[in-house]
Amino acid sequence: MLSKENILRFTDSNKSCLFKICFLILFLFSFGNNTFAQNYKEFETGFSTIFNQGFNLDSYYFGNNPAYLDFSLDDEFLSLKNITKNSEGEFKKFITPRTDQSFGFFASGKKSIDSTQNFKGSFGFSKLVRKNWDWFFTRDYDTDNPFLIGDSTSGSSRINGILINAQYAINISDKLSAGVNLDYTVDEGLKTVSPRPTSEHRDIHGKLGIGYSINKELSLGLTLDVTDKNEQISYREDEGSLTQETIILKFKGYDLPNVLRKKVETRYSYTNGYASGITFAYNNSDDFRLAGFFNSGFEKNSIKDDALDPKGVGFWKDDYVEVGLKASKHFSKDIITGLSYRYLKRNGWAKYPPADVLYYERNLYSHSLIAGYEQIISKDISAGLEAGISIFSKKEDDHYSVVYSSIQFNQYFGKIGINYNWSEDVSSLFSYGVTIRANQKYELNYNERGSLYFVNARIYDLIYLESAFLQHSFSLTSEVNVWNSDKILFHLNYSTVKPISSDSFKNTHRSEFDFIIEYRVKVI
Amino acid sequence: MMNTININRLYQLSFALIISVLSFNCSDILGTDPKPEKTEREIEFQITLKDNSGFMQTLFGSDKVRNAEVLLQSNLLGSSYHLYSDSNGVIKIKGIISDKYIITATRIMHSGEMQIISGTTVTNVKLVNKKTRILELNAASPANIDLEMDMVVGGSPLIISEIYACGPQGSGLYYHDKYVEVFNQSDSVLYLDKMMIAIVYTNSNTGLHYRDDPEFIHSKSIWIFPGTGKDYPIQPGQFVLCAEDAIDHRMNAPNSVDLSHADFEFYKDDAPDIDNPVIPNMIKIYQTAGNDWLIGGETGALILSNFSADSLLPFDDQFLIPYRSVFDGVEYKADPTKLDKKILNEGIDAGSTGGIQFYTGKSMERILISDSNRKILKDENNSSVDFMIINAPSPGKYH
């Protein structure tokens, strides 16, 4: 019961909280001195072609070729960054947790070792919290790999880990450069409800890049990726719930999981991936930039169960090709345009190793085209519009569960933004975006005699994909120069998505909130 | 200058090579893990039943077993398929997953047929698949399989009808209420005197087991019923309850069972065991460890035999019981799908029941197939298909 006193206290508390937020914003906006603003470089803005995204248009930022890790002395910095993300709501796939939170804290920096060598690195902690997560306990649950493990309970899981990244590039000659990028991640997961399974992951990703300048305008590059991931999921006797029955579910497709009434199980998952690619960048002047990449590779995942006598229970392989092309053009000093195109094709299949038979096939492709226009209205104000279309197609043949689906949809989006320089030290970018998914074609065929595991639950994994929706998003990105040459950047994004005329997801929605704050110290 | 040109050419050649390589699929080039050619559920399997007894040859001029009833049960999913062989002794099935299937093929020989074969109207003769009880049906391997069938006369008159081993819910680690129940499946009075109940030996730490011993059960826990010959009759359709401790366990564990009315009690007189003086005690022949008769809570195997305790053969620290003396044997496992981890010979029990966790109060009971004049319980010598899991034990009766 809320008493008048409590209401007043509550109101006062709210006022106090509001005051603190206002103070913090004013504090951020008011400090600083005269330093050249880098305009959100290497920072999230929500835009991909305008608002200085063209500034990053080279084979390092678009193509991820580490050979092009190159920066001026002005760009050297050390930074502390905090990332908070929250996604929650019932408009989701069944396998998605109702609430998905992630927190990351990173310390990073980049520095030129000498005139030919550059280094960039980061060290971070991350925490993933998945609340109201039904059954599943596989970290990377949404890769279309059908071999998933879980148990009959629903609840929260958390995954804590550390992430280390190191990048190094060297200019071997005037024309030739080479670089390497290494990512190393380890984490541990725990489901906080009985039977309390645990997980351990170790991921390594390495990328080698070579860049060659044909002439002053055109450069070409090659990349080679190697990925190695290990996962171990352990179900052990939960001493706190000795007499509670554990029901382990091993999915091999959308339906017909192996239902095992046992307390102890260990799953090992080994993933290897290889990819190679070509990158290029063209820059004939400061007015026009073009970059592109072609990347092709595969990942294969082998799953074994049983700690004492591991036996193969699943094999998943995913071949992919991705192509990207991005251009930025300054028509005048006040008009900037950008164009981005991406193509992705993935063909995956799964087999049951003891039988060497095909269980599952998935073919998908997507085309994504984004065009942007930015007008510099005055010294302090610029406005931009970005619009795009994505064409998506996915076909799944789950031979094991006798579930077949195919879907095609178009997704349209538009986004407007205004960047305002409050002073030479403070700038903010406000934006609003809308995304509409419209269904083009959808087919779902499944065995009517399938189990309740599908009909009541996992059918929503497929229905979700075919559901048309409307999404609104609002974001604020700001950069504040403080003290001599340090700066604070922050990005707030809120979006909410609702299905359009969906019987299955009636009166549902899902909202996302992202907050990133970074403090950068210039390296002198 | 010359060097620069050469290097440039080298770069250009390298790019040309890489581009040509990228125009193919990476994994195709590496040649690893080809996509399987066979797709799940698309293959039609054909199983041909062949008679080793000569009956079919005599009756129909062919060794193919026609009109046989076949039950296929998927080991991983538990889904079962009921089929009949055609006039060529063939069953065909399509749309099933690749798995190990527990197969039970039965051809009842009718008295008219036996009259033609043997000149007498013998009943209770059937052809069964004694040798192959588990079939691996795999879409990637040959779809035509032969299954041999042999003659069997009658079935086991005495069978194990229920095993309760896991302990009750909600009473901590209470496990003294275990029991095994024996049932008279025949239509005549039998006697339990000197019948043997033994626990099949395995060492879970080392993985040692004697499943593949061609002749003997190995045991380190052997008990026999008391009596000298006809002291303890068991009526047709009667259940006989043999309790670890014949007391009302509900006094100690509210969710447990009343075993104070048990027919027999396992009392270990060299240990601080409970003895209900009203209930006849089973006689311990050999059990060196433990303070009581103790069967595994989640995993184990029991046999019922009429072998004479005086004839037991020693082997290492175990005793041997010949397969031919075994009336019935039942294996249960924490994960009954792991048939490769079985400890009891497939000739006695082709499968495994179980899947019950400690302290859940669940029990394993044989499936009832007829209850018209007297109860007939399923006995295909395959616990995977003969037993079901019941949520509460039913000592001395059918649930």
Side-chain angles (χ1 to χ4, degrees):
Chain A
M1 179 81 78
L2 279 174
S3 67
K4 188 178 176 185
E5 195 176 307
N6 279 338
I7 291 169
L8 285 173
R9 194 179 300 148
F10 177 75
T11 312
D12 286 346
S13 152
N14 269 1
K15 279 180 183 169
S16 167
C17 189
L18 196 65
F19 177 76
K20 283 176 186 170
I21 291 169
C22 291
F23 180 78
L24 179 66
I25 291 171
L26 288 172
F27 173 85
L28 293 173
F29 278 34
S30 61
F31 268 83
N33 57 19
N34 190 5
T35 307
F36 176 74
Q38 290 197 45
N39 294 320
Y40 324 120
K41 190 177 178 186
E42 295 187 1
F43 196 74
E44 181 67 48
T45 63
F47 289 88
S48 58
T49 57
I50 51 175
F51 292 115
N52 292 297
Q53 295 307 307
F55 195 80
N56 299 338
L57 201 49
D58 60 25
S59 292
Y60 178 77
Y61 292 104
F62 196 73
N64 297 324
N65 188 339
Y68 292 98
L69 174 68
D70 193 11
F71 42 83
S72 65
L73 287 174
D74 284 339
D75 288 342
E76 293 182 352
F77 63 78
L78 298 172
S79 83
L80 295 174
K81 182 156 78 171
N82 181 262
I83 302 173
T84 303
K85 294 188 176 190
N86 185 79
S87 171
E88 66 180 302
E90 293 294 345
F91 182 50
K92 65 178 187 66
K93 290 181 177 179
F94 176 80
I95 54 171
T96 308
R98 191 187 181 282
T99 303
D100 205 344
Q101 297 173 328
S102 69
F103 310 94
F105 188 78
F106 299 89
S108 58
K110 56 182 188 178
K111 180 90 176 76
S112 293
I113 298 169
D114 57 32
S115 61
T116 60
Q117 299 179 84
N118 293 309
F119 178 81
K120 184 179 176 183
S122 72
F123 179 87
F125 299 95
S126 74
K127 182 184 182 79
L128 300 177
V129 180
R130 293 168 176 175
K131 295 179 180 171
N132 295 316
W133 196 16
D134 294 321
W135 301 351
F136 295 101
F137 190 64
T138 302
R139 186 190 67 178
D140 303 326
Y141 61 87
D142 206 9
T143 61
D144 291 332
N145 183 341
F147 301 102
L148 301 173
I149 194 168
D151 57 76
S152 59
T153 63
S154 300
S156 294
S157 296
R158 56 128 174 102
I159 301 169
N160 297 339
I162 59 171
L163 302 89
I164 301 169
N165 170 260
Q167 297 173 45
Y168 170 78
I170 182 169
N171 294 323
I172 297 167
S173 68
D174 287 347
K175 289 186 175 247
L176 185 66
S177 59
V180 63
N181 174 57
L182 283 172
D183 293 293
Y184 180 80
T185 304
V186 285
D187 63 47
E188 292 183 345
L190 170 71
K191 190 170 189 172
T192 56
V193 293
S194 184
R196 293 188 177 83
T198 58
S199 65
E200 292 176 12
H201 300 89
R202 194 273 293 135
D203 301 346
I204 297 173
H205 170 242
K207 186 163 196 164
L208 190 66
I210 294 173
Y212 179 69
S213 297
I214 306 275
N215 52 43
K216 283 186 178 177
E217 294 174 338
L218 180 65
S219 62
L220 294 177
L222 297 173
T223 58
L224 184 67
D225 283 79
V226 179
T227 304
D228 183 279
K229 297 182 193 175
N230 282 354
E231 178 181 53
Q232 181 178 331
I233 297 174
S234 303
Y235 279 84
R236 294 285 176 267
E237 288 204 29
D238 177 16
E239 292 184 5
S241 308
L242 263 182
T243 60
Q244 186 172 324
E245 190 173 40
T246 300
I247 300 172
I248 293 174
L249 303 172
K250 292 182 183 177
F251 278 90
K252 298 172 175 175
Y254 279 107
D255 196 9
L256 305 175
N258 295 147
V259 183
L260 304 168
R261 286 172 165 76
K262 59 192 288 194
K263 288 184 186 294
V264 178
E265 185 59 279
T266 304
R267 167 159 290 191
Y268 301 101
S269 170
Y270 307 98
T271 303
N272 297 105
Y274 303 93
S276 55
I278 300 170
T279 62
F280 79 90
Y282 178 77
N283 175 18
N284 70 347
S285 67
D286 286 343
D287 291 340
F288 181 68
R289 284 170 184 258
L290 175 70
F293 66 86
F294 174 90
N295 201 29
S296 172
F298 69 92
E299 275 201 356
K300 58 178 183 175
N301 173 242
S302 178
I303 295 169
K304 294 182 176 183
D305 283 352
D306 198 340
L308 296 175
D309 183 17
K311 284 197 165 57
V313 294
F315 180 88
W316 162 248
K317 188 155 178 277
D318 204 7
D319 296 306
Y320 60 89
V321 173
E322 44 186 350
V323 177
L325 203 60
K326 196 169 176 180
S328 175
K329 169 78 177 163
H330 290 223
F331 282 103
S332 69
K333 65 174 186 172
D334 295 334
I335 296 175
I336 303 159
T337 59
L339 192 67
S340 171
Y341 167 75
R342 277 180 184 258
Y343 169 74
L344 173 68
K345 182 184 177 189
R346 281 186 173 273
N347 291 341
W349 55 266
K351 71 173 181 178
Y352 181 52
D356 195 32
V357 291
L358 189 64
Y359 263 26
Y360 172 84
E361 292 172 279
R362 184 267 281 128
N363 297 323
L364 71 79
Y365 69 81
S366 70
H367 297 273
S368 175
L369 183 68
I370 302 170
Y373 175 87
E374 183 185 347
Q375 172 84 52
I376 297 171
I377 297 165
S378 70
K379 177 172 164 282
D380 295 325
I381 301 175
S382 61
L385 171 69
E386 212 170 52
I389 179 173
S390 292
I391 299 166
F392 181 88
S393 173
K394 185 175 184 182
K395 184 172 185 295
E396 290 179 275
D397 291 335
D398 181 353
H399 305 292
Y400 171 79
S401 309
V402 197
V403 176
Y404 301 95
S405 75
S406 70
I407 180 169
Q408 286 181 14
F409 64 76
N410 292 351
Q411 197 161 297
Y412 308 93
F413 92 93
K415 193 165 193 160
I416 54 169
I418 294 176
N419 187 72
Y420 183 69
N421 296 328
W422 303 89
S423 69
E424 287 184 327
D425 299 319
V426 181
S427 64
S428 298
L429 171 60
F430 302 90
S431 69
Y432 164 75
V434 60
T435 304
I436 298 168
R437 176 186 287 180
N439 249 340
Q440 300 299 303
K441 191 179 167 189
Y442 176 67
E443 274 182 45
L444 172 61
N445 298 303
Y446 58 94
N447 186 354
E448 299 289 344
R449 292 175 298 172
S451 75
L452 296 178
Y453 287 96
F454 179 70
V455 177
N456 287 347
R458 297 209 60 193
I459 194 171
Y460 287 92
D461 292 342
L462 295 167
I463 293 176
Y464 172 80
L465 272 185
E466 64 94 15
S467 298
F469 65 69
L470 176 64
Q471 182 183 41
H472 299 277
S473 63
F474 309 88
S475 70
L476 165 65
T477 307
S478 203
E479 178 179 321
V480 182
N481 296 322
V482 292
W483 293 295
N484 290 327
S485 52
D486 304 347
K487 65 176 63 182
I488 295 171
L489 299 106
F490 70 88
H491 174 72
L492 278 167
N493 182 69
Y494 174 79
S495 67
T496 179
V497 57
K498 282 186 177 178
I500 302 169
S501 63
S502 168
D503 292 334
S504 304
F505 291 104
K506 201 175 276 183
N507 299 324
T508 62
H509 80 290
R510 193 161 177 94
S511 61
E512 291 186 12
F513 173 76
D514 303 339
F515 177 64
I516 306 171
I517 186 163
E518 182 174 350
Y519 180 70
R520 289 183 183 173
V521 180
K522 188 168 170 54
V523 177
I524 300 169
Chain B
M1 188 66 179
M2 194 67 183
N3 281 342
T4 310
I5 291 166
N6 284 341
I7 288 169
N8 280 341
R9 279 188 179 167
L10 190 65
Y11 292 146
Q12 285 160 4
L13 277 172
S14 302
F15 274 112
L17 181 67
I18 295 293
I19 289 166
S20 60
V21 162
L22 287 171
S23 62
F24 295 96
N25 190 307
C26 264
S27 53
D28 289 344
I29 295 161
L30 293 174
T32 55
D33 308 304
K35 191 173 177 179
E37 292 175 2
K38 304 286 185 183
T39 301
E40 188 69 321
R41 293 186 188 269
E42 283 190 358
I43 302 295
E44 182 178 70
F45 295 101
Q46 182 170 307
I47 302 168
T48 306
L49 309 180
K50 290 189 173 172
D51 173 26
N52 286 338
S53 69
F55 290 178
M56 293 294 122
Q57 188 71 40
T58 306
L59 289 171
F60 307 110
S62 163
D63 65 347
K64 307 297 186 295
V65 183
R66 59 180 67 185
N67 300 327
E69 185 179 1
V70 178
L71 182 73
L72 274 172
Q73 183 175 304
S74 162
N75 180 44
L76 289 175
L77 291 182
S79 47
S80 56
Y81 307 91
H82 206 172
L83 307 152
Y84 288 90
S85 62
D86 62 16
S87 58
N88 295 316
V90 171
I91 60 164
K92 292 178 182 175
I93 185 163
K94 190 178 178 184
I96 61 174
I97 65 161
S98 299
D99 192 11
K100 285 180 179 166
Y101 282 82
I102 296 149
I103 183 164
T104 308
T106 310
R107 169 65 158 85
I108 304 288
M109 300 304 296
H110 303 293
S111 55
E113 291 174 329
M114 291 310 294
Q115 173 76 42
I116 296 168
I117 293 164
S118 63
T120 58
T121 54
V122 185
T123 58
N124 214 10
V125 175
K126 57 188 176 183
L127 301 176
V128 299
N129 54 317
K130 280 169 68 176
K131 291 174 186 157
T132 307
R133 315 286 291 280
I134 296 171
L135 272 186
E136 183 153 2
L137 299 182
N138 181 343
S141 58
N144 297 324
I145 298 156
D146 289 341
L147 184 71
E148 293 184 22
M149 297 185 73
D150 295 282
M151 181 193 70
V152 168
V153 180
S156 181
L158 278 177
I159 54 174
I160 295 169
S161 53
E162 186 179 351
I163 298 172
Y164 171 65
C166 70
Q169 278 187 313
S171 297
L173 306 183
Y174 192 83
Y175 58 86
H176 308 287
D177 55 353
K178 298 171 191 250
Y179 66 81
V180 58
E181 191 183 72
V182 177
F183 179 69
N184 183 355
Q185 178 91 312
S186 75
D187 56 2
S188 54
V189 178
L190 300 171
Y191 296 90
L192 292 170
D193 305 49
K194 297 187 183 300
M195 295 285 286
M196 183 179 284
I197 290 178
I199 300 173
V200 178
Y201 174 70
T202 182
N203 186 325
S204 58
N205 294 326
T206 62
L208 176 69
H209 62 77
Y210 295 96
R211 178 187 64 206
D212 299 323
D213 188 307
E215 281 186 81
F216 298 105
I217 297 285
H218 293 237
S219 179
K220 288 171 72 173
S221 174
I222 300 169
W223 297 66
I224 62 169
F225 285 88
T228 55
K230 293 197 171 183
D231 296 333
Y232 293 100
I234 177 170
Q235 302 297 323
Q238 185 188 346
F239 294 94
V240 166
L241 177 62
C242 308
E244 178 184 345
D245 291 321
I247 59 171
D248 185 353
H249 291 273
R250 294 173 300 182
M251 293 185 300
N252 304 320
N255 295 321
S256 186
V257 281
D258 178 9
L259 301 182
S260 60
H261 61 281
D263 300 291
F264 296 93
E265 180 183 28
F266 292 93
Y267 171 60
K268 197 158 183 284
D269 55 7
D270 57 353
D273 191 9
I274 293 171
D275 182 21
N276 182 343
V278 179
I279 308 295
N281 288 334
M282 298 287 289
I283 299 167
K284 178 177 64 89
I285 300 300
Y286 182 61
Q287 183 181 327
T288 55
N291 292 329
D292 206 341
W293 177 78
L294 194 63
I295 54 176
E298 293 181 329
T299 297
L302 289 173
I303 57 124
L304 179 67
S305 160
N306 66 349
F307 194 58
S308 166
D310 299 331
S311 305
L312 285 167
L313 298 169
F315 176 84
D316 200 5
D317 59 346
Q318 307 136 33
F319 279 98
L320 305 179
I321 303 160
Y323 290 152
R324 58 182 158 75
S325 70
V326 174
F327 274 138
D328 194 17
V330 178
E331 179 166 355
Y332 56 99
K333 305 184 77 58
D335 183 352
T337 64
K338 291 196 169 173
L339 296 177
D340 56 325
K341 300 279 183 359
K342 266 179 67 63
I343 60 171
L344 186 54
N345 187 276
E346 283 179 13
I348 294 171
D349 184 357
S352 171
T353 182
I356 296 176
Q357 293 166 36
F358 283 115
Y359 315 113
T360 51
K362 293 186 176 181
S363 188
M364 296 162 275
E365 190 177 46
R366 216 173 263 277
I367 294 167
L368 180 71
I369 55 174
S370 170
D371 197 12
S372 49
N373 297 323
R374 59 187 169 86
K375 285 184 170 56
I376 302 292
L377 304 183
K378 196 169 186 185
D379 183 20
E380 306 285 356
N381 293 328
N382 189 334
S383 301
S384 296
V385 296
D386 291 343
F387 276 78
M388 63 181 177
I389 307 304
I390 53 177
N391 286 327
S394 59
K397 61 181 191 297
Y398 198 78
H399 80 275

